[in-house]
Amino acid sequence: MALMGGFARIGNNEITILVNDAEKSSDIDPQEAQQTLEIAEANLRKAKSKRERIEGNLALRRARTRVEVINAIHN
């Protein structure tokens, strides 16, 4: 699973994971994920305003997470 944003809490021998978004690894197309990562990197390099940089960083983290999940499966 690719988990985007959120946190985990551990207490009383229980783990609670709250995330903003999740995606099954089997639903991720490797080529599309790599292309999305490259686009996110390019968009972040072009970002000028604070808002563009924040949104660019969020998109980059999401894209990087998806590629890392794919790479973990194939390695």
Side-chain angles (χ1 to χ4, degrees), residues 36-47 60:
T36 301
L37 176 59
E38 292 167 7
I39 291 167
E41 290 169 338
N43 287 342
L44 185 56
R45 284 192 297 272
K46 293 188 295 186
L60 181 60

Side-chain angles (χ1 to χ4, degrees), residues 11-45:
N12 298 325
N13 292 321
E14 288 185 1
I15 298 174
T16 303
I17 301 172
L18 300 174
V19 299
N20 295 333
D21 193 15
E23 191 172 1
K24 287 182 182 180
S25 57
S26 60
D27 292 342
I28 300 172
D29 177 272
Q31 288 180 321
E32 184 271 331
Q34 184 61 44
Q35 288 174 339
T36 301
L37 176 59
E38 292 167 7
I39 291 167
E41 290 169 338
N43 287 342
L44 185 56
R45 284 192 297 272

Side-chain angles (χ1 to χ4, degrees), residues 1 6 9 17 27-28 31 33 37 42 54 56 58 62 75:
M1 293 289 291
R9 182 180 64 150
I17 301 172
D27 292 342
I28 300 172
Q31 288 180 321
L37 176 59
I54 291 169
L58 290 171
R62 177 181 171 83
N75 290 331

